[in-house]
Amino acid sequence: MIRKTNLQGVETYYYHNQTEDKHFFGGFFNLASNNITQILQEFSSRLHLAKYKLETLNQIKINIQKEFINEYFSDEVSYSDWDRRIKVLTEYLPIIHFLDIDVNAKDSTGKKDRFKNISEKRKFFRENFISLLDTIDKLRN
């Protein structure tokens, strides 16, 4: 004879702003942080970047990540190198596609020419990518 059991689930809520629930969200941010470290290692390896070898990127810290982004996505990077670097990052982080906005893209008000020049576009990319890294780091810690 099969008995029917009626189980009532206990509704559990986690709040990101409470210290006692930090363990629940911390795992996700640790994973995100580790993934970004591995992505930057792979990026460095695939593009043969001498300064940031795998050994030095093993336990990459947020300030090194910022330095890395500022150096390898600077205004002095050629168009072809920029595109190649963006394509490599986009393979691992799809959000990069949304940060690398076309120069002629419309802004939120519908006006064309969101950026006056390529330098503004690249600055927008660097600032927002670094902001993403900072956010993950701050929420993780």
Side-chain angles (χ1 to χ4, degrees), residues 8-140:
Q8 290 184 346
V10 178
E11 293 184 17
T12 305
Y13 296 97
Y14 295 100
Y15 299 97
H16 68 280
N17 56 352
Q18 292 182 356
T19 307
E20 57 270 10
D21 290 343
K22 187 175 179 179
H23 68 279
F24 179 77
F25 294 97
F28 294 115
F29 294 120
N30 282 337
L31 181 62
S33 180
N34 291 340
N35 286 345
I36 288 172
T37 299
Q38 290 176 346
I39 288 166
L40 294 180
Q41 288 173 340
E42 181 65 18
F43 179 85
S44 183
S45 173
R46 284 182 61 181
L47 298 177
H48 307 290
L49 304 176
K51 186 174 179 186
Y52 297 95
K53 295 197 184 242
L54 291 177
E55 301 84 37
T56 59
L57 287 174
N58 206 9
Q59 291 297 322
I60 197 165
K61 301 294 180 211
I62 189 70
N63 58 341
I64 297 172
Q65 290 175 350
K66 291 178 188 179
E67 180 184 317
F68 186 92
I69 299 303
N70 283 324
E71 183 170 343
Y72 289 108
F73 292 95
S74 69
D75 290 341
E76 289 78 35
V77 173
S78 70
Y79 292 118
S80 59
D81 284 345
W82 179 273
D83 286 341
R84 182 167 184 235
R85 291 171 185 186
I86 292 295
K87 283 178 185 172
V88 170
L89 275 182
T90 304
E91 288 178 24
Y92 301 102
L93 287 172
I95 194 150
I96 295 298
H97 174 72
F98 296 105
L99 296 179
D100 186 45
I101 299 172
D102 184 33
V103 175
N104 297 321
K106 294 180 180 178
D107 64 6
S108 58
T109 62
K111 287 190 223 170
K112 205 171 177 182
D113 299 333
R114 179 182 187 123
F115 307 110
K116 293 181 180 129
N117 54 38
I118 230 34
S119 181
E120 274 188 25
K121 170 195 166 182
R122 291 180 176 191
K123 181 180 178 191
F124 174 85
F125 174 83
R126 285 189 306 269
E127 288 175 350
N128 286 289
F129 191 25
I130 287 172
S131 176
L132 176 68
L133 299 177
D134 276 339
T135 301
I136 291 169
D137 188 58
K138 286 178 183 170
L139 289 172
R140 179 177 166 255

